[in-house]
Amino acid sequence: MKVFKFGGASVKDAAGVRNMAGILKMHQHENLVVVVSAMGKTTNALERLTDAFFFQQENVPLILEEIKSFHFEIARTLFADSTHPFFDELHNTFVELDWATDGTPQHGYDQEYDQIVSLGEVLATKIIGAYLNEQHIQTKWWDVRDFICTDNTFREGKVDWSLTEEKVKSALLPFFEKAGNKVVLLQGFIGVTSENFTTTLGREGSDYTAAIMAYCTDAESVTIWKDVPGVLNADPKWFDETKLIDHLSYQDAIELAYYGATVIHPKTIKPLQNKNIPLYVRSFLQPAENGTVISNQQSALPVPCFIFKVKQLLVSISPKDFSFIVEENMSNIFRLFASHGVRINTMQNSAISFSLCIDDNERKIPALLKALQEDYRVLYNDALELITIRYYDQATIDRVCVGKKVLLEVKSRYTVQLVVKDL
């Protein structure tokens, strides 16, 4: 069995869905678990809808209509017969979204977010599943919430691995044994609590879904289909010339994902490493190409890898009293960051101050800074960039620092991180 994952860019329109069908036909003699993200920029639109609903803004019906029009347009292009019974099913799915955004919010923001935004994956897989069967690709649409169980941490659901594996092995594996070569189509990004509330696994979490399913099925491999030829040593948005990396070790992939490489979700690699399942990153535009393989084979990267994060905040924290930055202060600072759900991208401490770089999240940062200021002196710089170079040398550092002022530099044996601002 193999696990395939298709992201939003690969199914952003009818042509993308047709292309996906073509790739699956190339693998029609294999058992496939196919994980799909929301189509195109649907997640962004659903986040706008969530904000409009939660903060009781007047543009709820307008945003909802935009989302409906987008999906129905794709469906009408794929299904020439306007009386096709699938359209009733699509309409019923939108009724769920109508209900989710009707009236006033009954729960906190994160919980309402998950109930609304998760429907993007449901809509995508409903359309794709119907089309694949229309193309004689035997496909079973299955609600991934029948398998992936999480706790109640909305927007960052923590997987109950033992229960999830039990459900997969008791239902999904027997299905393949009975059905032969078929496609099981699942939604990425989502899970369910013991109280039957939908959770999400973190933004861009469909890669993680694929890894969870691969771990629980002891899959032969996972393939993530992207709009790039594989893992590149830099984002093409930042560099005119990039190089394809043919092979990555699990360790390097984990490091790159942790530092912010967007080609792979940070949680994806570890479940695969634990069972030695290779991960392929391949292009849905050039499906015959090999792309990149990530496995347990150890080898240093042939070129430096660059990761850029913008909209960064550099925060400097120091005690108000006469104490030093010692274990007690560090423990309290980390507790505040964890309770506000803010991840630290890089950090450095001295005797009297603790400097760290974080994403400038307008929803979380003001409350965090206010909490820190109760016990500490807090200074910060905004509108910064964080540059991470894996397998750096001085020439690569000099290259990215042209026209920049370095505010913080953190080096290890293989990695350097630079917090910079434009001169």
Side-chain angles (χ1 to χ4, degrees):
M1 178 188 301
K2 295 180 178 179
V3 178
F4 282 1
K5 181 263 178 174
F6 291 87
S10 66
V11 291
K12 64 182 180 180
D13 51 25
V17 176
R18 293 191 183 108
N19 183 66
M20 174 186 171
I23 292 173
L24 295 183
K25 284 182 179 178
M26 295 166 61
H27 299 269
Q28 59 186 335
H29 299 301
E30 301 176 87
N31 288 333
L32 296 176
V33 173
V34 178
V35 176
V36 178
S37 300
M39 293 175 144
K41 300 296 184 182
T42 297
T43 299
N44 292 342
L46 287 167
E47 287 178 336
R48 288 192 290 114
L49 179 64
T50 302
D51 288 352
F53 167 67
F54 191 82
F55 299 110
Q56 293 293 285
Q57 299 167 354
E58 296 180 1
N59 55 344
V60 169
L62 178 62
I63 299 171
L64 188 54
E65 186 55 40
E66 289 175 1
I67 297 169
K68 285 182 181 179
S69 297
F70 173 73
H71 286 86
F72 271 99
E73 179 60 30
I74 292 175
R76 281 191 290 267
T77 305
L78 294 172
F79 300 95
D81 182 4
S82 60
T83 64
H84 195 290
F86 163 71
F87 284 99
D88 289 335
E89 186 175 359
L90 185 58
H91 173 76
N92 290 337
T93 306
F94 271 107
V95 169
E96 291 184 49
L97 192 53
D98 286 330
W99 288 344
T101 55
D102 187 35
T104 57
Q106 301 300 305
H107 306 284
Y109 179 86
D110 288 350
Q111 187 169 351
E112 295 288 358
Y113 175 102
D114 281 0
Q115 312 320 300
I116 296 169
V117 175
S118 59
L119 287 169
E121 275 66 19
V122 175
L123 289 165
T125 51
K126 290 283 189 181
I127 293 172
I128 292 167
Y131 179 74
L132 292 178
N133 281 309
E134 190 86 353
Q135 297 300 304
H136 308 293
I137 302 171
Q138 287 187 298
T139 303
K140 176 175 175 57
W141 184 94
W142 212 321
D143 193 326
V144 76
R145 290 167 289 193
D146 288 349
F147 304 118
I148 297 182
C149 303
T150 75
D151 67 359
N152 291 67
T153 308
F154 295 101
R155 298 189 69 181
E156 286 286 347
K158 296 177 177 60
V159 175
D160 183 330
W161 285 93
S162 59
L163 183 56
T164 298
E165 190 169 12
E166 177 187 322
K167 286 177 175 288
V168 169
K169 290 186 172 177
S170 65
L172 183 62
L173 293 184
F175 169 79
F176 276 116
E177 291 170 3
K178 294 176 183 177
N181 293 326
K182 279 193 175 180
V183 172
V184 168
L185 185 64
L186 300 174
Q187 309 75 37
F189 179 55
I190 61 180
V192 70
T193 71
S194 57
E195 296 88 3
N196 211 35
F197 285 109
T198 299
T199 53
T200 60
L201 305 177
R203 198 67 158 81
E204 310 291 344
S206 294
D207 290 356
Y208 188 34
T209 302
I212 294 167
M213 299 308 298
Y215 178 92
C216 293
T217 59
D218 294 309
E220 176 185 337
S221 65
V222 175
T223 301
I224 298 175
W225 296 93
K226 306 282 291 186
D227 57 357
V228 290
V231 178
L232 304 174
N233 74 317
D235 191 325
K237 290 185 298 186
W238 297 95
F239 280 78
D240 293 331
E241 296 182 9
T242 59
K243 295 183 179 180
L244 175 68
I245 300 171
D246 296 324
H247 176 263
L248 272 172
S249 67
Y250 289 127
Q251 179 65 37
D252 279 326
I254 290 170
E255 293 280 355
L256 292 175
Y258 174 81
Y259 289 127
T262 57
V263 73
I264 306 166
H265 188 276
K267 296 179 183 177
T268 303
I269 305 299
K270 201 67 183 78
L272 304 181
Q273 182 187 31
N274 287 355
K275 287 198 173 180
N276 197 22
I277 299 170
L279 170 64
Y280 296 89
V281 181
R282 298 173 63 186
S283 168
F284 62 77
L285 300 173
Q286 299 171 306
E289 299 297 320
N290 293 327
T292 300
V293 60
I294 299 168
S295 71
N296 66 353
Q297 180 181 331
Q298 296 296 319
S299 59
L301 296 182
V303 291
C305 289
F306 302 84
I307 301 164
F308 287 74
K309 291 174 73 72
V310 296
K311 290 187 65 176
Q312 297 294 291
L313 201 70
L314 180 61
V315 182
S316 180
I317 303 166
S318 56
K320 287 182 177 179
D321 57 18
F322 302 102
S323 65
F324 297 101
I325 290 288
V326 292
E327 287 79 1
E328 182 180 350
N329 282 329
M330 296 284 279
S331 175
N332 184 45
I333 290 168
F334 281 122
R335 180 185 59 79
L336 289 173
F337 274 81
S339 65
H340 286 81
V342 176
R343 179 180 179 274
I344 298 172
N345 295 327
T346 193
M347 56 189 171
Q348 187 180 78
N349 69 286
S350 68
I352 58 172
S353 70
F354 181 44
S355 297
L356 46 91
C357 181
I358 55 180
D359 295 340
D360 193 357
N361 185 313
E362 61 184 14
R363 292 195 180 281
K364 298 178 179 181
I365 299 307
L368 171 62
L369 293 179
K370 183 177 180 181
L372 287 167
Q373 287 167 345
E374 291 181 9
D375 297 309
Y376 304 98
R377 181 170 177 262
V378 179
L379 302 173
Y380 63 88
N381 297 86
D382 59 6
L384 305 178
E385 296 175 24
L386 172 62
I387 305 171
T388 302
I389 310 173
R390 180 80 171 158
Y391 296 106
Y392 67 93
D393 55 29
Q394 191 57 49
T396 60
I397 294 175
D398 295 341
R399 176 183 175 187
V400 298
C401 289
V402 174
K404 311 283 187 183
K405 179 180 180 180
V406 178
L407 302 183
L408 181 71
E409 180 179 299
V410 180
K411 279 184 179 180
S412 66
R413 182 178 300 178
Y414 299 114
T415 304
V416 63
Q417 292 189 283
L418 308 162
V419 181
V420 302
K421 70 174 182 179
D422 291 331
L423 290 174

